[in-house]
Amino acid sequence: MTSLSELQDFIRFQDNFKNFLNSSKVPDICKTESCILGVDEAGRGPVLGPMVYGIAYCPVSKTKILNDLGCADSKALTEEKRDDIFCKMLSNEESLNTVGWVAEVISPNYISNSMYRRAKHSLNEVSMNSAIGLIKKAAEDGVNITEVYVDTVGPPEKYQAKLSEIFPNYKITVAKKADSIYPIVSAASIVAKVTRDHALKLWKFKEGLEMTHTEFGSGYPGDPLTKKFIRDQIDNVFGYPLLVRFSWSTAELMLQEKAATCVFEEVDDEGATKKANTKSISSFFAPKTDEGKPRKRHKFFEERFLSVSNPFG
């Protein structure tokens, strides 16, 4: 992958409702020299579109390349500047030989299902699992990681302790606004943000909607175009298209207001009447109360005149 058009082609052929990975080739120098690795995300807060986790890594001895590329907090850069820096990461010879990256695109469908399933999986858990998975992938691909820097929105202490437990051989630093402190995290931030921007622009509606990103906006709840999309693109029965994180309160409230009410039949409701002589499943596992009664022997044993004996008695 050497250009944004190739990135777009790659994204265009992915399934929107599935998570997928995209990565650079691991530079040879990253397999032999000690490397720093940064982790950051893009799209944690939007009600529309995927969340993307990104990592970037390079040798400790070559960190100057990050400053030469112009790596800074992706949120402080314009979209054009982010695209320009990522293009350099894809095509600049020095960058290709020293800096590697991986991005995981986490679908809105996966996020919502994780938060709604019986054993609830919070957004923090989804985020942490993605970060851990990306660090492991880099290590499995041969990157000689010695230091890891992670951006977080929550309390960094607990997160850092968990990562240190999983990766005891790495020096782990977790900090708020790490993307504005450590250039390697800034690089990861740019990888994540550019990937999300283009994933949103190239979104394919499996539901048949003929819309472009210019009609649904950035995906953030405060965006007027996003508000309009959430208000207008709701099916009375099926709810929202897969672009929407239906577990977000913005979407939940609109579903309650506009969608048909769903009533699920209660199973084994306490107030329901049961048929006479109907046993509950749990009764088969309860201890027997009529221990004095002899249990009838199975026909198999009676026909063969078999009895229980204790040869060691």
Side-chain angles (χ1 to χ4, degrees):
M1 189 173 293
T2 58
S3 66
L4 279 182
S5 62
E6 288 185 30
L7 171 67
Q8 291 168 345
D9 288 341
F10 176 81
I11 292 172
R12 196 174 280 115
F13 287 104
Q14 306 305 312
D15 286 328
N16 291 333
F17 61 94
K18 292 182 180 178
N19 300 354
F20 62 88
L21 290 173
N22 188 22
S23 64
S24 69
K25 182 183 176 183
V26 178
D28 290 336
I29 194 173
C30 293
K31 297 178 181 180
T32 55
E33 291 198 17
S34 298
C35 290
I36 57 173
L37 182 147
V39 183
D40 200 8
E41 54 77 23
R44 182 184 175 89
V47 65
L48 301 184
M51 176 172 69
V52 178
Y53 255 79
I55 63 169
Y57 51 87
C58 76
V60 176
S61 63
K62 301 289 184 181
T63 53
K64 183 179 177 295
I65 183 64
L66 301 172
N67 295 321
D68 293 343
L69 287 169
C71 292
D73 177 12
S74 69
K75 301 175 191 69
L77 300 172
T78 63
E79 183 177 343
E80 291 75 17
K81 185 61 177 175
R82 289 193 299 266
D83 282 352
D84 180 59
I85 293 171
F86 193 61
C87 273
K88 289 177 182 175
M89 292 174 70
L90 295 175
S91 58
N92 178 278
E93 186 176 355
E94 186 180 2
S95 177
L96 288 170
N97 291 331
T98 54
V99 181
W101 55 270
V102 186
E104 181 179 25
V105 179
I106 306 169
S107 75
N109 186 55
Y110 177 85
I111 293 170
S112 294
N113 286 338
S114 295
M115 296 175 73
Y116 270 153
R117 69 189 188 187
R118 182 169 294 182
K120 291 189 183 300
H121 205 52
S122 71
L123 188 63
N124 285 341
E125 290 173 299
V126 172
S127 300
M128 187 179 290
N129 287 344
S130 178
I132 292 168
L134 290 175
I135 297 170
K136 285 182 176 178
K137 174 173 171 50
E140 289 166 1
D141 289 346
V143 181
N144 184 25
I145 305 165
T146 55
E147 303 173 33
V148 175
Y149 297 86
V150 185
D151 185 79
T152 183
V153 294
E157 297 80 14
K158 187 177 179 182
Y159 196 177
Q160 184 167 312
K162 181 164 180 77
L163 289 177
S164 297
E165 183 182 344
I166 297 170
F167 304 107
N169 297 325
Y170 304 160
K171 177 191 171 187
I172 307 287
T173 302
V174 178
K176 292 184 178 181
K177 300 193 180 298
D179 47 355
S180 60
I181 303 171
Y182 306 104
I184 193 65
V185 181
S186 302
S189 179
I190 289 165
V191 168
K193 186 66 175 164
V194 171
T195 302
R196 175 181 151 80
D197 287 345
H198 289 278
L200 205 58
K201 286 180 181 179
L202 297 168
W203 188 268
K204 302 184 297 292
F205 286 97
K206 291 183 175 292
E207 300 80 8
L209 286 175
E210 296 292 335
M211 296 184 78
T212 67
H213 70 282
T214 58
E215 296 172 84
F216 56 74
S218 65
Y220 283 89
D223 186 325
L225 286 174
T226 300
K227 285 182 178 178
K228 186 176 187 303
F229 181 90
I230 290 293
R231 187 175 59 251
D232 296 347
Q233 299 301 325
I234 185 167
D235 185 274
N236 185 252
V237 175
F238 298 106
Y240 285 115
L242 291 172
L243 175 68
V244 180
R245 302 180 192 177
F246 51 84
S247 57
W248 257 231
S249 59
T250 309
E252 282 183 333
L253 292 171
M254 194 60 67
L255 285 167
Q256 289 170 15
E257 179 185 329
K258 289 196 165 188
T261 303
C262 226
V263 180
F264 293 94
E265 184 179 343
E266 293 291 339
V267 179
D268 289 333
D269 185 31
E270 290 182 4
T273 56
K274 294 181 179 179
K275 292 181 180 179
N277 301 322
T278 301
K279 290 184 178 181
S280 66
I281 288 180
S282 59
S283 69
F284 291 95
F285 303 95
K288 301 290 183 184
T289 55
D290 54 345
E291 295 294 339
K293 275 188 180 181
R295 193 168 64 176
K296 187 176 179 183
R297 301 181 70 230
H298 193 278
K299 189 177 179 183
F300 176 89
F301 297 99
E302 286 185 342
E303 288 177 348
R304 291 162 178 78
F305 303 100
L306 297 174
S307 62
V308 179
S309 64
N310 184 359
F312 303 103

